[in-house]
Amino acid sequence: MAAAVLRHCWRGLLQNSGNGAVCTVRSKILEGFRQKSTVQYISRPDHPKLAYRRVKGKSPGVVFLPGYGSNMSGQKAEALEGFCRSLGHAYLRFDYSGHGASEGVFSEGTIGTWKKDVLFMLDELAEGPQILVGSSMGGWLMLLAAIARPEKTKALVGISTAADHFVTAFKTLPIEVRKECEDKGVWTIPTKSNEEGMYTVSMDFLREAENHCILQSPIPITCPVRLIHGLKDEDVPWHISMQVAERVLSPDVDIIMRRHGQHRMAEKDDIKLIVYTIDDLIDKLTTMV
């Protein structure tokens, strides 16, 4: 009952409601957003240390997986921590090796490397059932983790999910462009999602990524899946989320398209939608229990 009241009041706070119930716990909710977890590090034998922030709390927990070249300090990651803290739910965010505050060399990373990072963090730090939230490449890793750890994954929220994207996008290039990239050993991808205005991906990275492609056959995921994508995403086409929805075996799949949404999905209304989606899944999973 208390959790339900807090959830109702949290929604009212975002909507600037004047409801009296909201006011009685407004300070509690705001406190959750003001507080911030501290950066910690976890060691692994023969592997780079990973930086993470964690809030302990009740189940289901929420794990945020950032995108390619991104980190755990973005607006979506910060907002989700405030939300989870305000409701008393566990929350974990971290940087893949070579990203953010974690050790490692970014250019040496692969989809396989970062998948192992995700599985390690799930095994070592995420207690009990989890809702995985993956942004862009993090959405691909989210799916791979759900396949590998079905017992721990209770729901998925994909944001601009980039499943197989590097591989399929490269294969759609004209053959002469692909040949030029192969000769140079790298593929330069224009983007509006970073300050450099481009990503540079090695051919070795692409070849390794092919081992983790999942859209050519049914995806053995049966938990609830929510896929949010912007129709104006210029980095990862929205039809990838449609493909994911068609391939997963789960009977409970929703696709939410944002008419003006872009790749980062970091506008205030985008984040509000993401949090509402997670909130509904927490309700659903709690009711099921």
Side-chain angles (χ1 to χ4, degrees):
M1 179 64 182
V5 171
L6 268 175
R7 188 169 290 114
H8 167 76
C9 294
W10 175 85
R11 290 187 178 214
L13 179 63
L14 279 185
Q15 295 165 352
N16 294 317
S17 169
N19 186 294
V22 173
C23 296
T24 61
V25 294
R26 184 184 296 267
S27 59
K28 263 192 174 182
I29 297 172
L30 287 174
E31 183 182 354
F33 279 90
R34 281 195 296 264
Q35 290 179 343
K36 194 173 182 180
S37 56
T38 57
V39 177
Q40 301 179 70
Y41 292 86
I42 186 166
S43 299
R44 303 175 292 171
D46 303 319
H47 291 285
K49 289 181 181 179
L50 297 180
Y52 69 94
R53 292 177 180 268
R54 179 168 62 159
V55 175
K56 292 187 177 182
K58 59 191 174 185
S59 296
V62 176
V63 179
F64 181 76
L65 307 176
Y68 180 82
S70 188
N71 59 60
M72 63 175 169
S73 299
Q75 291 170 289
K76 295 186 292 292
E78 295 276 0
L80 291 186
E81 175 168 320
F83 165 69
C84 288
R85 187 186 292 276
S86 70
L87 291 184
H89 281 268
Y91 180 65
L92 173 66
R93 50 179 164 139
F94 64 95
D95 290 331
Y96 313 123
S97 53
H99 288 67
S102 287
E103 293 182 348
V105 180
F106 176 71
S107 61
E108 295 177 359
T110 64
I111 297 298
T113 299
W114 298 326
K115 173 188 171 182
K116 289 179 181 176
D117 290 348
V118 175
L119 296 182
F120 177 81
M121 297 301 275
L122 283 177
D123 292 342
E124 296 298 320
L125 294 179
E127 300 176 0
Q130 303 293 320
I131 298 173
L132 305 187
V133 182
S135 178
S136 192
M137 183 193 74
W140 186 358
L141 296 173
M142 169 192 78
L143 295 167
L144 294 172
I147 294 169
R149 298 290 187 273
E151 73 287 350
K152 203 148 202 174
T153 307
K154 297 307 177 185
L156 303 178
V157 178
I159 307 163
S160 308
T161 300
D164 299 9
H165 177 58
F166 289 117
V167 176
T168 53
F170 182 75
K171 289 181 177 179
T172 62
L173 296 174
I175 190 167
E176 61 272 15
V177 176
R178 280 183 279 157
K179 181 66 168 61
E180 182 181 351
C181 292
E182 288 166 357
D183 290 343
K184 292 180 179 178
V186 296
W187 173 31
T188 301
I189 312 168
T191 180
K192 294 181 180 179
S193 296
N194 62 23
E195 294 180 0
E196 294 78 19
M198 63 179 181
Y199 295 124
T200 301
V201 177
S202 72
M203 292 299 103
D204 287 340
F205 178 92
L206 286 174
R207 282 188 283 270
E208 195 278 339
E210 288 189 39
N211 299 322
H212 307 284
C213 288
I214 55 178
L215 293 180
Q216 300 308 310
S217 58
I219 303 174
I221 292 173
T222 57
C223 66
V225 178
R226 304 292 180 263
L227 301 164
I228 304 172
H229 218 122
L231 293 180
K232 293 191 175 180
D233 189 334
E234 296 181 7
D235 289 327
V236 178
W238 56 264
H239 66 74
I240 290 182
S241 284
M242 301 293 288
Q243 288 179 285
V244 172
E246 291 170 355
R247 300 289 192 277
V248 293
L249 298 180
S250 173
D252 184 0
V253 181
D254 288 337
I255 307 168
I256 305 167
M257 294 295 179
R258 295 280 293 163
R259 181 179 178 184
H260 299 294
Q262 300 183 9
H263 183 65
R264 295 177 68 87
M265 294 292 289
E267 297 297 323
K268 181 179 178 181
D269 285 343
D270 297 332
I271 293 175
K272 187 186 296 185
L273 173 62
I274 293 164
V275 176
Y276 279 178
T277 302
I278 296 169
D279 186 36
D280 285 338
L281 284 171
I282 290 174
D283 262 352
K284 183 182 184 74
L285 295 173
T286 304
T287 302
M288 289 169 62
V289 173

